[in-house]
Amino acid sequence: MGTTEQATAPEPKYWHLRTVLLRAIDSEFATGQVIPNERELASRFGVARATLRQALDQLELEGRLVRRRGIGTLVAAPRTAVPVSPAEEGWPGTGRDAAWRIVDCVTAPPSAALARALAIPASEQVHTVRRLRMTGSQVVGTEALHVPDSAVPHLPGFVGDTGRGRSVLRQLQRLELAGESRAVELGVAEAEEARLLERPPGTPVLVVTTQYAAQGRIAALAVSTYRADTCRLTFGQTGLVEVAPVGAGLAEVRTAS
Amino acid sequence: MGTTEQATAPEPKYWHLRTVLLRAIDSEFATGQVIPNERELASRFGVARATLRQALDQLELEGRLVRRRGIGTLVAAPRTAVPVSPAEEGWPGTGRDAAWRIVDCVTAPPSAALARALAIPASEQVHTVRRLRMTGSQVVGTEALHVPDSAVPHLPGFVGDTGRGRSVLRQLQRLELAGESRAVELGVAEAEEARLLERPPGTPVLVVTTQYAAQGRIAALAVSTYRADTCRLTFGQTGLVEVAPVGAGLAEVRTAS
DNA sequence: CAGTGGTCTAGACCACTCT
DNA sequence: GAGTGGTCTAGACCACTGT
């Protein structure tokens, strides 16, 4: 039997369109190339623009298309692998490599939720370092690194925002890292985050929550958000074998049988 | 040139709606409760139904709402933590715990992409075990575990689909696991996958690609997909400290400053 | 300026679930 | 059958980018 089950599957138009467009961009377009505009495509396929946009929304979510207002819709580059693990991002990314860029550092009492997550009394001050994760000159992620004051007792007095941030990171680095546990989930970027990521609000992001344990307590809690459209997070034991750049071929592998 | 122009931020209606609705479901509704229907909400807020739906789409993507056709829109339960690491999901999940359920197992030559990813010649047979990841009786993920024939040479002759699947897993378990590397990215569920996840096509999923290394080669490649709406993937060194159930409080922590 | 994607409207019909 | 979310239409205007 073929693909012709009809009984029960009235495939929505937008889903069919997505499939057709996906095939098209895979075979007829190169990375970075502009595809025809939405009104053109809609009329070409004989659907309303809203319906076509539904299909494009899907492909954008999959990281296959990028839409730029005033410009057009482009075929996206394969997602960039972003290493997320002690070795690469380390305690600090102390500036040795340019992977992280400190935005600022504020010291304040924790919110209730934060105090709970850090397992500290609400009265203890918390240093929050805001950083940007860079890939070359591209911002791909943001991070809020929350550090209880007691974990980094020896901070210098008068330095700027980023200066204190650097000090916090250096202090952390001196601690013996006993372990870390992570969680990854899907979220959307709100106003401030979206601005830092240079994306509109509502942009889907991968949210990574990391608890760093040292000296039998939680030494830091990092909440990082990465652009879901352009990032593939890699958790390498940096093992023997390189993670194959499955990238765009991933769909192939997923559906291979 | 500065990125800090503010001028005017004409916040879209749907984004404002999302914020309002989010506050409402946080304060006035309990998990599992149905919120007013879309037509009702749209007229209450004085917007078109399509605009309201845009706001609901966002909240659904964030895992805060669940929409059920014919029923209504419900406040979603906090995401369930799904452990993803050797200890918990092991080579096998050999059936000892009910976390995985084998669907079937097919043996066939690999696609070009798969052969490349496994670093084997295209002529070698590959066993592909399809499994479902369970949380209680809920299906939260699917997996295609690709194993080169040469990694599991001692398979029994005549057993059913799931029987061979079990054998493959058992064989893998006997290998010494040298390391594994993972990647996580956002994807959408296509037809077959969507069916297994009991969701419509296009459902956002977290795609986890794992390479298992043993005996200096790639012993297996797993491509797992987890429902992004209901899952929080945890990568525990199963360290000292439990990952705090930041869950719904995560937003708080993210925006805390 | 013209052209692009982003937002929004006011309808319509369909598929599904429950009673 | 009544009520829900899912899909789709044919328009409109806005915000942004290039020239």
Side-chain angles (χ1 to χ4, degrees), chain A residues 3-252:
Chain A
T3 50
T4 37
E5 315 276 329
Q6 45 175 10
T8 48
E11 191 185 47
K13 278 190 190 177
Y14 77 88
W15 186 254
H16 179 247
L17 271 180
R18 168 201 167 268
T19 308
V20 172
L21 289 169
L22 184 53
R23 263 201 296 268
I25 65 182
D26 271 338
S27 61
E28 299 169 30
F29 291 86
T31 291
Q33 197 173 348
V34 213
I35 71 175
N37 71 62
E38 297 181 349
R39 291 162 178 90
E40 158 70 17
L41 285 175
S43 82
R44 186 184 301 182
F45 288 109
V47 299
R49 191 175 154 221
T51 303
L52 177 88
R53 277 181 62 81
Q54 234 179 318
L56 296 183
D57 286 343
Q58 288 282 346
L59 292 169
E60 194 179 28
L61 196 66
E62 299 174 60
R64 305 301 306 265
L65 291 178
V66 179
R67 293 195 269 192
R68 296 216 194 122
R69 188 190 294 219
I71 306 284
T73 302
L74 291 68
V75 176
R79 288 181 173 139
T80 50
V82 179
V84 178
S85 42
E88 290 87 352
E89 76 151 355
W91 262 113
T94 334
R96 168 179 58 72
D97 63 10
W100 290 101
R101 173 180 303 171
I102 295 179
V103 176
D104 62 10
C105 174
V106 305
T107 302
S111 68
L114 183 53
R116 209 180 323 122
L118 287 171
I120 59 170
S123 57
E124 183 177 342
Q125 295 279 95
V126 172
H127 308 284
T128 298
V129 184
R130 266 236 167 258
R131 304 194 286 177
L132 297 181
R133 180 69 185 255
M134 314 293 297
T135 298
S137 61
Q138 265 293 309
V139 179
V140 294
T142 73
E143 181 180 274
L145 180 66
H146 305 285
V147 184
D149 185 53
S150 56
V152 288
H154 308 304
L155 292 181
F158 294 92
V159 283
D161 262 4
T162 69
R164 189 157 77 260
R166 255 192 299 275
S167 296
V168 170
L169 292 176
R170 253 197 305 270
Q171 288 271 320
L172 279 181
Q173 212 177 3
R174 294 207 191 100
L175 295 178
E176 196 127 319
L177 184 56
E180 54 192 90
S181 55
R182 286 202 185 74
V184 179
E185 63 187 305
L186 182 60
V188 304
E190 309 217 2
E192 174 65 0
E193 233 163 42
R195 199 181 55 74
L196 292 171
L197 291 176
E198 299 163 3
R199 297 253 69 200
T203 300
V205 289
L206 296 170
V207 182
V208 183
T209 312
T210 312
Q211 274 190 359
Y212 296 96
Q215 305 174 332
R217 63 198 294 279
I218 302 173
L221 174 70
V223 181
S224 322
T225 63
Y226 297 89
R227 286 179 54 161
D229 55 347
T230 56
C231 291
R232 206 174 88 245
L233 306 182
T234 61
F235 297 80
Q237 263 66 353
T238 332
L240 333 164
V241 198
E242 250 294 289
V243 184
V246 192
L250 193 145
E252 289 179 62

Side-chain angles (χ1 to χ4, degrees), chain B residues 36-59:
Chain B
N37 72 61
E38 299 182 349
R39 291 162 179 88
E40 159 70 17
L41 285 175
S43 82
R44 187 183 301 182
F45 288 108
V47 299
R49 190 175 155 220
T51 303
L52 176 87
R53 278 182 61 82
Q54 236 180 316
L56 296 183
D57 286 343
Q58 288 281 347
L59 291 169

Side-chain angles (χ1 to χ4, degrees), chain B residues 242-256:
Chain B
E242 250 295 289
V243 184
V246 192
L250 194 144
E252 288 179 62
V253 176
R254 272 170 72 195
T255 49

